[in-house]
Coordinates of all heavy atoms in Angstrom, one line a residue:
Y1 N -1.9 -21.0 5.2 CA -1.6 -19.8 4.4 C -1.4 -20.2 2.9 O -1.0 -21.3 2.6 CB -0.4 -19.0 4.9 CG -0.2 -17.7 4.3 CD1 -1.1 -16.7 4.5 CD2 0.9 -17.4 3.5 CE1 -1.0 -15.4 4.0 CE2 1.1 -16.2 3.0 CZ 0.1 -15.2 3.2 OH 0.3 -14.0 2.6
Q2 N -1.7 -19.3 2.0 CA -1.7 -19.6 0.6 C -0.3 -20.0 0.1 O -0.2 -20.9 -0.8 CB -2.2 -18.4 -0.2 CG -3.7 -18.1 0.0 CD -4.1 -16.8 -0.7 OE1 -3.3 -16.1 -1.2 NE2 -5.4 -16.6 -0.7
E3 N 0.7 -19.3 0.6 CA 2.1 -19.6 0.1 C 2.6 -20.8 1.0 O 2.5 -20.8 2.2 CB 3.0 -18.4 0.4 CG 2.6 -17.2 -0.4 CD 3.4 -16.0 0.0 OE1 4.6 -16.1 0.3 OE2 2.8 -14.9 0.1
K4 N 3.0 -21.8 0.3 CA 3.5 -23.0 1.0 C 4.8 -22.8 1.8 O 5.0 -23.6 2.7 CB 3.7 -24.2 0.0 CG 2.4 -24.6 -0.7 CD 2.7 -25.8 -1.6 CE 1.5 -26.2 -2.5 NZ 0.3 -26.5 -1.9
D5 N 5.6 -21.8 1.4 CA 6.8 -21.6 2.2 C 6.7 -20.4 3.1 O 7.7 -19.8 3.5 CB 8.0 -21.4 1.2 CG 7.8 -20.2 0.3 OD1 6.7 -19.6 0.2 OD2 8.8 -19.9 -0.4
A6 N 5.5 -20.1 3.5 CA 5.2 -19.0 4.5 C 4.4 -19.5 5.6 O 3.7 -20.4 5.5 CB 4.5 -17.8 3.8
A7 N 4.6 -18.8 6.8 CA 3.8 -19.1 8.0 C 3.4 -17.9 8.7 O 4.1 -16.8 8.5 CB 4.7 -20.0 8.9
W8 N 2.4 -18.0 9.5 CA 1.9 -16.8 10.3 C 2.1 -17.2 11.8 O 1.8 -18.3 12.2 CB 0.4 -16.6 10.1 CG 0.1 -15.7 8.9 CD1 0.1 -16.1 7.6 CD2 -0.1 -14.3 8.9 NE1 -0.2 -15.1 6.8 CE2 -0.3 -14.0 7.6 CE3 -0.2 -13.4 9.9 CZ2 -0.6 -12.6 7.2 CZ3 -0.5 -12.1 9.6 CH2 -0.7 -11.7 8.2
I9 N 2.6 -16.3 12.6 CA 2.7 -16.4 14.0 C 1.5 -15.7 14.6 O 1.2 -14.5 14.4 CB 4.0 -15.7 14.6 CG1 5.2 -16.4 14.1 CG2 3.9 -15.7 16.1 CD1 6.5 -15.7 14.5
S10 N 0.6 -16.5 15.2 CA -0.6 -15.9 15.8 C -0.3 -15.2 17.1 O -0.9 -14.2 17.4 CB -1.7 -16.9 15.9 OG -1.3 -17.9 16.8
S11 N 0.5 -15.8 17.9 CA 0.9 -15.1 19.2 C 2.1 -15.8 19.9 O 2.3 -17.0 19.7 CB -0.3 -15.1 20.2 OG -0.7 -16.4 20.6
I12 N 2.8 -15.0 20.6 CA 3.8 -15.5 21.5 C 3.6 -14.7 22.8 O 3.6 -13.5 22.8 CB 5.2 -15.3 21.0 CG1 5.5 -16.2 19.8 CG2 6.3 -15.6 22.1 CD1 6.9 -16.0 19.2
A13 N 3.3 -15.4 23.9 CA 3.0 -14.7 25.1 C 4.0 -15.2 26.2 O 4.2 -16.4 26.4 CB 1.6 -14.9 25.6
I14 N 4.6 -14.2 26.9 CA 5.5 -14.5 28.0 C 4.9 -13.8 29.2 O 4.6 -12.6 29.2 CB 6.9 -14.0 27.8 CG1 7.5 -14.5 26.4 CG2 7.8 -14.3 28.9 CD1 7.7 -16.0 26.4
D15 N 4.7 -14.6 30.3 CA 4.1 -14.0 31.5 C 4.9 -12.8 32.0 O 6.2 -12.8 31.8 CB 4.2 -15.1 32.6 CG 3.4 -14.7 33.9 OD1 3.9 -13.8 34.6 OD2 2.4 -15.3 34.2
S16 N 4.2 -11.8 32.4 CA 4.9 -10.5 32.7 C 6.0 -10.6 33.7 O 7.0 -9.9 33.6 CB 3.9 -9.5 33.2 OG 3.3 -10.0 34.4
Q17 N 6.0 -11.6 34.6 CA 7.1 -11.7 35.6 C 8.4 -12.3 34.9 O 9.4 -12.2 35.5 CB 6.7 -12.5 36.8 CG 6.4 -14.0 36.5 CD 6.0 -14.8 37.7 OE1 6.1 -14.3 38.8 NE2 5.5 -16.0 37.5
Y18 N 8.3 -12.8 33.7 CA 9.4 -13.4 33.0 C 9.8 -12.5 31.8 O 10.8 -12.9 31.1 CB 9.1 -14.8 32.6 CG 8.9 -15.7 33.8 CD1 7.6 -16.1 34.1 CD2 10.0 -16.1 34.6 CE1 7.4 -17.0 35.2 CE2 9.7 -16.9 35.7 CZ 8.5 -17.3 36.0 OH 8.3 -18.1 37.1
Q19 N 9.1 -11.4 31.6 CA 9.5 -10.6 30.4 C 10.8 -9.9 30.6 O 11.2 -9.7 31.8 CB 8.3 -9.6 30.1 CG 7.1 -10.3 29.6 CD 6.0 -9.3 29.4 OE1 6.1 -8.1 29.5 NE2 4.8 -9.8 29.0
N20 N 11.4 -9.5 29.5 CA 12.7 -8.8 29.5 C 13.8 -9.6 30.1 O 14.8 -9.1 30.7 CB 12.6 -7.4 30.3 CG 11.6 -6.5 29.6 OD1 11.6 -6.3 28.4 ND2 10.6 -6.0 30.4
R21 N 13.7 -10.9 30.0 CA 14.8 -11.8 30.4 C 15.3 -12.7 29.3 O 16.1 -13.6 29.5 CB 14.3 -12.7 31.6 CG 13.9 -11.9 32.8 CD 13.5 -12.9 33.9 NE 13.1 -12.1 35.1 CZ 12.7 -12.7 36.2 NH1 12.7 -14.0 36.3 NH2 12.4 -12.0 37.3
G22 N 14.8 -12.4 28.1 CA 15.3 -13.2 26.9 C 14.5 -14.4 26.6 O 14.8 -15.0 25.6
Y23 N 13.4 -14.7 27.4 CA 12.6 -15.9 27.1 C 11.9 -15.8 25.7 O 11.8 -16.7 25.0 CB 11.7 -16.2 28.2 CG 12.3 -16.6 29.5 CD1 12.2 -15.8 30.6 CD2 13.1 -17.7 29.6 CE1 12.8 -16.1 31.8 CE2 13.8 -18.1 30.8 CZ 13.6 -17.3 31.9 OH 14.2 -17.6 33.1
G24 N 11.3 -14.6 25.5 CA 10.6 -14.4 24.2 C 11.5 -14.5 23.0 O 11.2 -15.1 22.0
S25 N 12.7 -13.9 23.1 CA 13.7 -14.0 22.1 C 14.1 -15.4 21.8 O 14.2 -15.9 20.7 CB 14.9 -13.1 22.4 OG 14.6 -11.8 22.4
S26 N 14.4 -16.2 22.9 CA 14.7 -17.6 22.8 C 13.6 -18.4 22.1 O 13.9 -19.2 21.2 CB 15.1 -18.2 24.2 OG 16.2 -17.6 24.7
A27 N 12.4 -18.2 22.6 CA 11.3 -18.9 22.0 C 11.1 -18.6 20.5 O 10.9 -19.5 19.7 CB 10.0 -18.5 22.7
L28 N 11.2 -17.3 20.1 CA 11.1 -16.9 18.8 C 12.2 -17.5 17.9 O 12.0 -18.1 16.8 CB 11.2 -15.4 18.6 CG 11.1 -14.9 17.2 CD1 9.8 -15.3 16.5 CD2 11.3 -13.4 17.1
N29 N 13.5 -17.5 18.4 CA 14.6 -18.1 17.7 C 14.4 -19.6 17.5 O 14.7 -20.1 16.4 CB 15.9 -17.8 18.4 CG 16.3 -16.3 18.2 OD1 15.9 -15.6 17.3 ND2 17.0 -15.8 19.2
L30 N 13.9 -20.3 18.5 CA 13.7 -21.7 18.3 C 12.6 -22.0 17.3 O 12.7 -22.9 16.5 CB 13.3 -22.3 19.7 CG 14.4 -22.5 20.7 CD1 13.8 -22.9 22.1 CD2 15.4 -23.6 20.2
L31 N 11.5 -21.2 17.3 CA 10.4 -21.3 16.4 C 10.9 -21.1 15.0 O 10.6 -21.8 14.1 CB 9.3 -20.4 16.7 CG 8.1 -20.3 15.8 CD1 7.5 -21.7 15.6 CD2 7.1 -19.3 16.2
L32 N 11.7 -20.0 14.8 CA 12.1 -19.7 13.4 C 13.1 -20.7 12.9 O 13.0 -21.1 11.7 CB 12.8 -18.3 13.4 CG 11.9 -17.1 13.7 CD1 12.7 -15.8 13.7 CD2 10.8 -17.0 12.7
C33 N 14.0 -21.3 13.7 CA 14.8 -22.4 13.3 C 14.0 -23.6 12.9 O 14.3 -24.2 11.9 CB 15.8 -22.7 14.4 SG 17.2 -21.6 14.6
F34 N 13.0 -23.9 13.7 CA 12.2 -25.1 13.4 C 11.5 -24.9 12.1 O 11.5 -25.8 11.2 CB 11.2 -25.3 14.5 CG 10.1 -26.3 14.2 CD1 10.4 -27.7 14.3 CD2 8.9 -25.9 13.8 CE1 9.5 -28.6 14.0 CE2 7.9 -26.9 13.4 CZ 8.2 -28.2 13.5
L35 N 10.9 -23.7 11.9 CA 10.1 -23.4 10.7 C 11.0 -23.5 9.4 O 10.7 -24.1 8.4 CB 9.4 -22.1 10.7 CG 8.3 -22.0 11.7 CD1 7.8 -20.5 11.8 CD2 7.1 -22.9 11.3
E36 N 12.2 -23.0 9.6 CA 13.2 -23.0 8.4 C 13.7 -24.3 8.1 O 13.7 -24.8 7.0 CB 14.3 -22.0 8.7 CG 15.3 -21.9 7.6 CD 16.5 -21.0 7.9 OE1 16.8 -20.8 9.1 OE2 17.0 -20.5 6.9
Q37 N 14.2 -25.0 9.2 CA 14.8 -26.3 9.0 C 13.9 -27.5 8.7 O 14.2 -28.4 7.9 CB 15.8 -26.6 10.1 CG 16.9 -25.6 10.2 CD 17.8 -25.8 11.4 OE1 17.6 -26.7 12.2 NE2 18.7 -24.9 11.6
K38 N 12.8 -27.5 9.5 CA 11.9 -28.7 9.4 C 10.7 -28.5 8.5 O 10.2 -29.5 7.9 CB 11.4 -29.1 10.8 CG 12.5 -29.4 11.8 CD 13.2 -30.6 11.5 CE 14.2 -30.9 12.6 NZ 15.0 -32.0 12.3
K39 N 10.3 -27.3 8.3 CA 9.1 -27.0 7.5 C 9.4 -26.3 6.2 O 8.5 -26.0 5.4 CB 8.1 -26.3 8.3 CG 7.6 -27.0 9.5 CD 6.9 -28.3 9.1 CE 6.4 -29.0 10.4 NZ 5.7 -30.3 10.0
M40 N 10.7 -26.0 6.0 CA 11.1 -25.3 4.7 C 10.4 -23.9 4.5 O 10.1 -23.5 3.4 CB 10.9 -26.1 3.5 CG 11.6 -27.5 3.6 SD 13.3 -27.4 4.1 CE 13.7 -29.0 4.3
I41 N 10.1 -23.2 5.6 CA 9.5 -21.9 5.6 C 10.5 -20.9 5.2 O 11.6 -20.9 5.7 CB 8.8 -21.6 6.9 CG1 7.7 -22.6 7.2 CG2 8.3 -20.2 7.0 CD1 6.5 -22.6 6.3
K42 N 10.2 -20.0 4.3 CA 11.1 -18.9 3.9 C 10.7 -17.5 4.4 O 11.5 -16.6 4.5 CB 11.1 -18.8 2.4 CG 11.5 -20.1 1.7 CD 13.0 -20.3 1.7 CE 13.4 -21.5 0.9 NZ 14.0 -22.6 1.6
C43 N 9.4 -17.3 4.8 CA 8.9 -16.0 5.2 C 7.9 -16.2 6.3 O 7.0 -17.1 6.3 CB 8.3 -15.3 4.1 SG 8.0 -13.5 4.4
V44 N 8.0 -15.4 7.4 CA 7.1 -15.5 8.5 C 6.3 -14.1 8.6 O 6.9 -13.1 8.5 CB 7.8 -15.8 9.8 CG1 6.9 -15.8 11.0 CG2 8.6 -17.1 9.7
Y45 N 5.0 -14.2 8.8 CA 4.2 -13.0 9.0 C 3.5 -13.0 10.4 O 3.4 -14.0 11.0 CB 3.0 -13.0 7.9 CG 3.5 -13.0 6.5 CD1 3.8 -14.1 5.8 CD2 3.6 -11.8 5.9 CE1 4.2 -14.1 4.5 CE2 4.0 -11.7 4.5 CZ 4.3 -12.9 3.9 OH 4.7 -12.8 2.6
L46 N 3.1 -11.8 10.8 CA 2.4 -11.6 12.0 C 1.7 -10.3 12.0 O 1.9 -9.5 11.2 CB 3.4 -11.7 13.2 CG 4.5 -10.6 13.3 CD1 4.0 -9.4 14.1 CD2 5.7 -11.2 13.9
A47 N 0.8 -10.2 12.9 CA 0.0 -8.9 13.1 C 0.3 -8.4 14.6 O 0.2 -9.2 15.5 CB -1.4 -9.1 12.8
V48 N 0.5 -7.1 14.7 CA 0.6 -6.5 16.0 C -0.2 -5.3 16.1 O -0.4 -4.6 15.1 CB 2.1 -6.2 16.4 CG1 2.7 -5.2 15.4 CG2 2.3 -5.8 17.8
I49 N -0.9 -5.0 17.2 CA -1.7 -3.8 17.4 C -0.8 -2.6 17.3 O 0.3 -2.6 17.9 CB -2.4 -3.9 18.7 CG1 -3.4 -5.1 18.8 CG2 -3.2 -2.6 19.0 CD1 -4.4 -5.2 17.7
E50 N -1.2 -1.6 16.5 CA -0.4 -0.5 16.2 C 0.1 0.2 17.5 O 1.2 0.7 17.6 CB -1.2 0.5 15.4 CG -0.4 1.7 15.0 CD -1.1 2.6 14.0 OE1 -2.4 2.7 14.1 OE2 -0.4 3.3 13.2
E51 N -0.8 0.3 18.5 CA -0.5 1.0 19.8 C 0.4 0.2 20.7 O 0.9 0.7 21.7 CB -1.8 1.4 20.5 CG -2.5 2.5 19.8 CD -3.8 2.9 20.5 OE1 -4.0 2.5 21.7 OE2 -4.6 3.7 19.9
N52 N 0.6 -1.1 20.4 CA 1.5 -1.9 21.3 C 2.9 -1.7 21.0 O 3.6 -2.4 20.3 CB 1.1 -3.4 21.0 CG 1.9 -4.4 21.8 OD1 2.8 -4.0 22.6 ND2 1.6 -5.6 21.7
Q53 N 3.4 -0.6 21.6 CA 4.8 -0.2 21.3 C 5.8 -1.2 21.8 O 6.8 -1.4 21.1 CB 5.1 1.2 22.0 CG 4.3 2.3 21.4 CD 4.5 2.5 19.9 OE1 5.6 2.5 19.4 NE2 3.4 2.6 19.1
Q54 N 5.6 -1.8 22.9 CA 6.5 -2.8 23.4 C 6.6 -4.0 22.4 O 7.7 -4.5 22.1 CB 6.1 -3.3 24.8 CG 7.1 -4.3 25.4 CD 6.7 -4.7 26.8 OE1 5.7 -4.3 27.4 NE2 7.4 -5.6 27.4
G55 N 5.4 -4.5 22.0 CA 5.4 -5.6 21.0 C 6.1 -5.2 19.7 O 6.8 -6.0 19.1
R56 N 5.8 -4.0 19.2 CA 6.4 -3.6 18.0 C 7.9 -3.5 18.1 O 8.7 -3.8 17.2 CB 5.8 -2.2 17.5 CG 4.4 -2.4 17.1 CD 3.8 -1.2 16.5 NE 4.5 -0.8 15.3 CZ 4.2 0.4 14.8 NH1 3.3 1.2 15.3 NH2 4.9 0.8 13.7
R57 N 8.4 -3.0 19.2 CA 9.9 -2.9 19.5 C 10.5 -4.3 19.4 O 11.6 -4.6 18.9 CB 10.2 -2.2 20.8 CG 10.2 -0.7 20.7 CD 10.8 -0.1 21.9 NE 10.2 -0.4 23.1 CZ 9.1 0.2 23.6 NH1 8.5 1.2 23.0 NH2 8.6 -0.2 24.8
F58 N 9.8 -5.3 20.1 CA 10.3 -6.7 20.1 C 10.5 -7.2 18.7 O 11.5 -7.8 18.3 CB 9.3 -7.6 20.9 CG 9.7 -9.0 20.9 CD1 10.6 -9.5 21.7 CD2 9.1 -9.9 20.0 CE1 10.9 -10.9 21.7 CE2 9.4 -11.2 19.9 CZ 10.3 -11.7 20.8
W59 N 9.4 -7.0 17.8 CA 9.5 -7.6 16.5 C 10.5 -6.8 15.7 O 11.2 -7.4 14.9 CB 8.1 -7.5 15.8 CG 7.1 -8.4 16.6 CD1 6.0 -8.0 17.3 CD2 7.2 -9.8 16.7 NE1 5.4 -9.1 17.9 CE2 6.1 -10.2 17.5 CE3 8.0 -10.8 16.3 CZ2 5.8 -11.6 17.9 CZ3 7.8 -12.2 16.6 CH2 6.7 -12.5 17.4
D60 N 10.6 -5.5 15.8 CA 11.6 -4.7 15.1 C 13.0 -5.2 15.5 O 13.9 -5.4 14.6 CB 11.5 -3.2 15.5 CG 10.4 -2.5 14.9 OD1 9.8 -3.0 13.8 OD2 10.0 -1.5 15.4
K61 N 13.2 -5.5 16.8 CA 14.5 -5.9 17.2 C 14.9 -7.3 16.6 O 16.1 -7.5 16.4 CB 14.5 -6.1 18.8 CG 15.8 -6.6 19.4 CD 15.7 -6.6 20.9 CE 15.0 -7.9 21.4 NZ 15.1 -8.1 22.8
H62 N 13.9 -8.1 16.2 CA 14.2 -9.4 15.6 C 14.1 -9.4 14.1 O 14.0 -10.4 13.5 CB 13.3 -10.4 16.2 CG 13.6 -10.7 17.7 ND1 14.7 -11.4 18.1 CD2 13.0 -10.3 18.8 CE1 14.8 -11.4 19.4 NE2 13.8 -10.7 19.9
G63 N 14.2 -8.2 13.5 CA 14.3 -8.1 12.1 C 13.0 -8.1 11.3 O 13.0 -8.2 10.1
F64 N 11.9 -8.0 12.0 CA 10.6 -8.0 11.3 C 10.4 -6.6 10.7 O 10.7 -5.6 11.4 CB 9.4 -8.4 12.2 CG 9.3 -9.9 12.4 CD1 10.2 -10.5 13.3 CD2 8.4 -10.7 11.7 CE1 10.2 -11.9 13.5 CE2 8.4 -12.1 11.9 CZ 9.2 -12.7 12.8
Q65 N 9.8 -6.5 9.5 CA 9.6 -5.3 8.8 C 8.1 -5.1 8.6 O 7.3 -6.0 8.4 CB 10.3 -5.2 7.5 CG 11.8 -5.4 7.6 CD 12.4 -5.5 6.2 OE1 11.8 -5.2 5.2 NE2 13.7 -5.8 6.2
V66 N 7.7 -3.8 8.6 CA 6.3 -3.5 8.4 C 5.9 -3.7 6.9 O 6.6 -3.3 6.0 CB 6.0 -2.0 8.7 CG1 4.5 -1.6 8.3 CG2 6.2 -1.8 10.2
L67 N 4.8 -4.5 6.7 CA 4.3 -4.8 5.4 C 3.2 -3.8 5.0 O 3.2 -3.2 4.0 CB 3.9 -6.2 5.3 CG 3.3 -6.7 3.9 CD1 4.4 -6.6 2.8 CD2 2.8 -8.1 4.0
R68 N 2.2 -3.7 6.0 CA 1.1 -2.8 5.8 C 0.4 -2.6 7.1 O 0.6 -3.3 8.0 CB 0.2 -3.2 4.7 CG -0.5 -4.5 5.0 CD -1.4 -5.0 3.8 NE -1.8 -6.3 3.9 CZ -3.0 -6.7 3.9 NH1 -4.0 -5.9 3.7 NH2 -3.3 -8.0 4.1
K69 N -0.5 -1.6 7.0 CA -1.4 -1.3 8.2 C -2.8 -1.6 7.8 O -3.2 -1.2 6.7 CB -1.2 0.1 8.7 CG -2.1 0.5 9.8 CD -1.7 1.8 10.4 CE -2.4 3.0 9.8 NZ -2.2 4.2 10.6
I70 N -3.6 -2.2 8.7 CA -5.0 -2.4 8.4 C -5.8 -1.6 9.5 O -5.6 -1.8 10.7 CB -5.4 -3.9 8.6 CG1 -4.6 -4.7 7.6 CG2 -6.9 -4.1 8.3 CD1 -4.8 -6.2 7.8
E71 N -6.5 -0.6 9.0 CA -7.3 0.3 9.9 C -8.4 -0.4 10.5 O -9.1 -1.2 9.9 CB -7.9 1.5 9.0 CG -6.8 2.3 8.3 CD -6.1 3.3 9.3 OE1 -6.7 3.6 10.3 OE2 -5.0 3.7 8.9
K72 N -8.6 -0.2 11.8 CA -9.7 -0.7 12.6 C -10.0 -2.2 12.4 O -11.1 -2.6 12.1 CB -11.0 0.1 12.3 CG -10.8 1.6 12.6 CD -12.0 2.4 12.3 CE -11.8 3.8 12.7 NZ -12.9 4.7 12.3
H73 N -8.9 -2.9 12.5 CA -8.9 -4.4 12.2 C -9.5 -5.2 13.3 O -10.1 -6.3 13.0 CB -7.5 -4.9 11.9 CG -7.4 -6.3 11.5 ND1 -8.0 -6.8 10.4 CD2 -6.8 -7.3 12.1 CE1 -7.7 -8.1 10.3 NE2 -7.0 -8.5 11.4
I74 N -9.3 -4.8 14.5 CA -9.7 -5.7 15.7 C -10.3 -4.8 16.8 O -9.8 -3.7 17.0 CB -8.6 -6.5 16.2 CG1 -9.0 -7.6 17.2 CG2 -7.5 -5.7 16.8 CD1 -8.0 -8.6 17.5
K75 N -11.3 -5.3 17.5 CA -11.9 -4.6 18.6 C -11.3 -5.1 19.9 O -11.4 -6.3 20.2 CB -13.4 -4.8 18.6 CG -14.1 -3.9 19.6 CD -15.6 -3.9 19.5 CE -16.2 -3.0 20.5 NZ -17.7 -3.0 20.3
L76 N -10.6 -4.2 20.6 CA -10.0 -4.5 21.9 C -10.3 -3.4 22.9 O -10.3 -2.2 22.5 CB -8.5 -4.6 21.8 CG -7.9 -5.8 21.1 CD1 -6.4 -5.7 20.9 CD2 -8.2 -7.1 21.8
Q77 N -10.6 -3.7 24.1 CA -10.9 -2.7 25.1 C -12.0 -1.8 24.6 O -11.9 -0.6 24.8 CB -9.6 -2.0 25.5 CG -8.5 -2.9 26.0 CD -7.2 -2.2 26.2 OE1 -6.9 -1.1 25.7 NE2 -6.3 -2.9 26.9
D78 N -13.0 -2.4 24.0 CA -14.2 -1.6 23.6 C -13.9 -0.6 22.5 O -14.7 0.4 22.4 CB -14.9 -1.0 24.8 CG -15.5 -2.1 25.7 OD1 -16.0 -3.1 25.1 OD2 -15.5 -1.9 26.9
R79 N -12.9 -0.7 21.8 CA -12.7 0.2 20.6 C -11.9 -0.5 19.5 O -11.2 -1.4 19.8 CB -12.0 1.5 21.1 CG -10.6 1.4 21.6 CD -10.1 2.7 22.1 NE -8.7 2.7 22.5 CZ -7.7 3.0 21.7 NH1 -7.9 3.4 20.5 NH2 -6.4 2.9 22.1
Q80 N -12.1 0.0 18.3 CA -11.4 -0.6 17.2 C -10.0 -0.2 17.2 O -9.6 1.0 17.5 CB -12.1 -0.1 15.9 CG -13.5 -0.6 15.7 CD -13.6 -2.1 15.5 OE1 -14.2 -2.7 16.3 NE2 -12.9 -2.6 14.5
Q81 N -9.1 -1.1 16.9 CA -7.7 -0.9 16.9 C -7.1 -1.2 15.5 O -7.6 -2.1 14.8 CB -7.0 -1.8 17.9 CG -7.5 -1.7 19.3 CD -6.7 -0.8 20.1 OE1 -5.5 -0.6 19.9 NE2 -7.3 -0.4 21.2
N82 N -6.0 -0.5 15.1 CA -5.3 -0.8 13.9 C -4.3 -1.9 14.1 O -3.8 -2.0 15.2 CB -4.6 0.5 13.4 CG -5.5 1.6 13.1 OD1 -6.7 1.5 12.8 ND2 -4.9 2.8 13.2
A83 N -4.1 -2.7 13.0 CA -3.2 -3.8 13.1 C -2.0 -3.5 12.1 O -2.3 -3.0 11.0 CB -3.8 -5.1 12.7
I84 N -0.8 -3.8 12.5 CA 0.3 -3.6 11.6 C 0.7 -5.1 11.2 O 1.0 -5.9 12.1 CB 1.5 -2.9 12.4 CG1 1.1 -1.6 12.9 CG2 2.7 -2.9 11.4 CD1 0.8 -0.6 11.8
I85 N 0.8 -5.3 9.9 CA 1.2 -6.6 9.4 C 2.7 -6.5 9.2 O 3.2 -5.6 8.6 CB 0.5 -7.0 8.1 CG1 -1.0 -7.0 8.3 CG2 1.0 -8.4 7.6 CD1 -1.5 -7.9 9.3
M86 N 3.5 -7.4 9.8 CA 4.9 -7.5 9.7 C 5.4 -8.8 9.1 O 4.6 -9.8 9.2 CB 5.6 -7.2 11.1 CG 5.1 -5.9 11.7 SD 5.9 -5.6 13.3 CE 7.5 -5.0 12.8
Y87 N 6.6 -8.8 8.6 CA 7.1 -10.0 8.0 C 8.6 -10.1 8.2 O 9.3 -9.1 8.4 CB 6.8 -10.1 6.5 CG 7.6 -9.2 5.6 CD1 8.7 -9.7 4.9 CD2 7.3 -7.9 5.5 CE1 9.5 -8.9 4.1 CE2 8.1 -7.0 4.7 CZ 9.1 -7.5 4.1 OH 9.9 -6.7 3.3
K88 N 9.2 -11.3 8.0 CA 10.6 -11.5 8.1 C 10.9 -12.7 7.1 O 10.3 -13.7 7.2 CB 11.1 -11.8 9.5 CG 12.6 -12.1 9.5 CD 13.1 -12.4 10.9 CE 14.6 -12.6 10.9 NZ 15.1 -12.6 12.3
K89 N 11.9 -12.5 6.3 CA 12.4 -13.6 5.5 C 13.4 -14.3 6.3 O 14.3 -13.7 6.9 CB 13.0 -13.1 4.2 CG 11.9 -12.4 3.3 CD 12.4 -12.1 1.9 CE 11.2 -11.5 1.2 NZ 11.4 -11.5 -0.2
I90 N 13.3 -15.7 6.3 CA 14.3 -16.5 7.0 C 15.0 -17.4 6.1 O 14.7 -17.6 5.0 CB 13.6 -17.2 8.2 CG1 12.5 -18.1 7.7 CG2 13.1 -16.3 9.2 CD1 11.9 -19.0 8.8

């Protein structure tokens, strides 16, 4: 990424049988601590599909804020989907 103190999360996936047990939150917290302490990262960005309400709630719960929306950014399930760019300062 252009900013040396910023990072992008491309994905965090937790198998459906282990979701809603805190594993995603634990993985995210470990990642954010590593990025902040070892890599001197100050801001983290990610993209989430606008219709992915469960994903958006997860990121909201962890303090990520909406930066902007990109219309028809990615094709999933044979249709164009909007992406929401989110960020968090750490």
Side-chain angles (χ1 to χ4, degrees):
Y1 190 64
Q2 294 173 351
E3 300 174 37
K4 294 184 190 303
D5 62 351
W8 276 82
I9 297 175
S10 63
S11 66
I12 293 180
I14 304 297
D15 190 290
S16 60
Q17 68 181 345
Y18 297 106
Q19 291 178 4
N20 299 312
R21 296 183 182 184
Y23 295 118
S25 295
S26 292
L28 177 61
N29 289 333
L30 286 170
L31 176 61
L32 294 178
C33 282
F34 171 80
L35 290 173
E36 181 181 26
Q37 294 174 5
K38 302 292 184 187
K39 300 295 180 181
M40 306 310 174
I41 297 297
K42 303 278 188 246
C43 190
V44 179
Y45 297 89
L46 60 92
V48 62
I49 300 301
E50 183 175 33
E51 292 181 8
N52 180 357
Q53 295 302 314
Q54 183 179 359
R56 290 184 63 190
R57 278 192 303 274
F58 175 82
W59 297 114
D60 285 339
K61 178 175 87 171
H62 291 286
F64 283 78
Q65 299 175 11
V66 173
L67 180 63
R68 66 184 165 123
K69 179 167 89 169
I70 303 174
E71 300 282 338
K72 300 179 181 177
H73 180 66
I74 190 167
K75 187 173 184 177
L76 289 174
Q77 301 169 346
D78 294 323
R79 65 187 186 92
Q80 292 296 118
Q81 304 262 341
N82 298 336
I84 303 295
I85 306 300
M86 302 182 81
Y87 74 99
K88 178 178 182 168
K89 294 187 180 200
I90 55 174

